[in-house]
């Protein structure tokens, strides 16, 4: 009797394992640091496991070039995605520009609002402090910020006062912690930190358009496809918009 029952239980277990759907493979996403607050929330609503790795877009692109195990790459700059594309490192037909953003001058909550233009006394606003920016030759937010300051004729005066850091969230943190009086970040970054205000918007024509391209890493298209589809769906789009991103294609 016991032997018979044991065989029956083994048979039931075998059938359960046979008919249970295979668990979906986790999707690993390399994402620009400025996406963190919104993308954490988006990933939380996804039906499968998402492993998120955040850094500056330049660092992420180099990691993919070196063979780091990513399924999806979600950057804050089209030039770095072009680098991966030209190297055959993203899946054909999977690339798309998903989001847009604005560039702001960030300061502590309660600081006076300013109009950003050629007459802005940015050096005077800094006093004895420094201006936090992401790396101006490598990280998108820093590249956009330098381009905007150059366009407005402000870069030469303020360049010696710039504190460069690895990514835009690190620049935001310097402002948030009071280690610098001002920083140049994305509008969504300033919105994400309750200790920081956007003191003024940089004119959109002062820098290249801010676009966030997303794509599957070459060879990982099958794993990436469900998450890429979800990113373009109504739930994810609504979350991005709630965090201040422009959803392209609307």
């Amino acid at each position: 009797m016991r032997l018979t029952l044991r065989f029956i239980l083994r048979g039931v277990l075998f059938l359960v394992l046979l008919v249970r759907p295979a668990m979906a493979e986790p999707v690993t996403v390399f994402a620009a640091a400025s996406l963190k607050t919104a993308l954490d929330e988006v990933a939380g609503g996804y039906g499968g496991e998402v492993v998120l790795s955040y850094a500056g877009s330049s660092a992420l692109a180099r990691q993919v070039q070196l063979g780091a195990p990513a399924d999806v790459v979600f950057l804050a700059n089209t030039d770095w995605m072009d680098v991966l594309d030209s190297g055959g490192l993203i899946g054909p037909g999977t690339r798309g520009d998903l989001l847009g953003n604005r560039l702001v001058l960030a300061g502590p909550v309660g600081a006076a609002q300013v109009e950003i233009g050629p007459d802005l006394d940015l050096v005077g606003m800094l006093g004895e402090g420094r201006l936090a920016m992401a790396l101006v030759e490598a990280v998108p937010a820093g590249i956009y910020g330098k381009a905007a300051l150059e366009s407005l004729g402000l870069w030469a005066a303020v360049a010696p006062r710039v504190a460069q850091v690895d990514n835009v969230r690190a620049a935001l943190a310097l402002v948030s912690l009071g280690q610098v009086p001002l920083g140049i970040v994305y509008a969504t970054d300033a919105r994400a930190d309750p200790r920081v205000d956007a003191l003024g918007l940089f004119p959109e024509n002062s820098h290249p358009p801010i676009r966030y391209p997303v794509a599957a890493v070459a060879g990982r298209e099958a794993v990436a496809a469900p998450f890429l589809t979800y990113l373009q769906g109504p739930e994810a789009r609504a979350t991005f918009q709630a965090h201040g991103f422009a959803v392209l294609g609307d």
Side-chain angles (χ1 to χ4, degrees):
M1 179 67 180
R2 288 181 180 178
L3 187 61
T4 303
L5 181 59
R6 185 182 302 171
F7 277 109
I8 291 173
L9 290 175
R10 284 181 178 176
V12 170
L13 179 60
F14 174 78
L15 288 174
V16 169
L17 292 174
L18 185 65
V19 301
R20 185 178 62 184
M23 294 296 291
E25 185 176 348
V27 57
T28 299
V29 182
F30 282 12
S34 56
L35 289 164
K36 179 171 173 47
T37 307
L39 192 55
D40 280 353
E41 185 174 336
V42 168
Y46 181 62
E49 183 181 351
V50 184
V51 179
L52 297 165
S53 179
Y54 295 105
S57 293
S58 56
L60 296 172
R62 292 187 183 110
Q63 289 173 30
V64 173
Q65 288 177 313
L66 293 172
D71 302 312
V72 172
V73 61
F74 198 172
L75 305 181
N77 179 269
T78 57
D79 289 345
W80 281 112
M81 191 67 86
D82 289 344
V83 170
L84 296 180
D85 202 352
S86 63
L89 296 173
I90 64 173
T94 67
R95 175 179 176 175
D97 289 350
L98 187 62
L99 305 174
N101 213 334
R102 294 290 303 273
L103 202 65
V104 302
L105 182 66
V109 170
Q113 297 288 300
V114 297
E115 182 177 348
I116 299 179
D119 297 329
L120 180 68
D121 182 13
L122 187 53
V123 172
M125 292 177 66
L126 289 171
E128 297 299 317
R130 298 171 73 82
L131 177 69
M133 295 179 67
L135 296 169
V136 300
E137 300 296 337
V139 177
I143 294 170
Y144 294 130
K146 181 182 178 182
L149 293 173
E150 287 179 331
S151 172
L152 298 171
L154 303 175
W155 175 251
V158 80
R161 308 286 296 280
V162 172
Q164 296 189 51
V165 290
D166 287 344
N167 59 67
V168 70
R169 282 301 174 98
L172 178 72
L174 291 180
V175 179
S176 179
L177 296 172
Q179 295 178 351
V180 300
L182 300 170
I184 296 179
V185 301
Y186 296 121
T188 52
D189 295 310
R191 184 170 177 167
D193 193 315
R195 294 176 290 188
V196 173
D197 264 350
L199 307 185
L201 280 168
F202 281 87
E204 287 191 276
N205 62 2
S206 68
H207 56 80
I210 300 170
R211 298 288 182 263
Y212 287 74
V214 64
V217 174
R220 303 299 294 171
E221 292 91 342
V223 176
F227 188 68
L228 289 176
T229 299
Y230 179 74
L231 286 179
Q232 299 172 64
E235 183 178 347
R237 292 164 73 89
T239 300
F240 285 124
Q241 288 174 325
H243 284 273
F245 288 95
V247 177
L248 304 180
D250 279 351

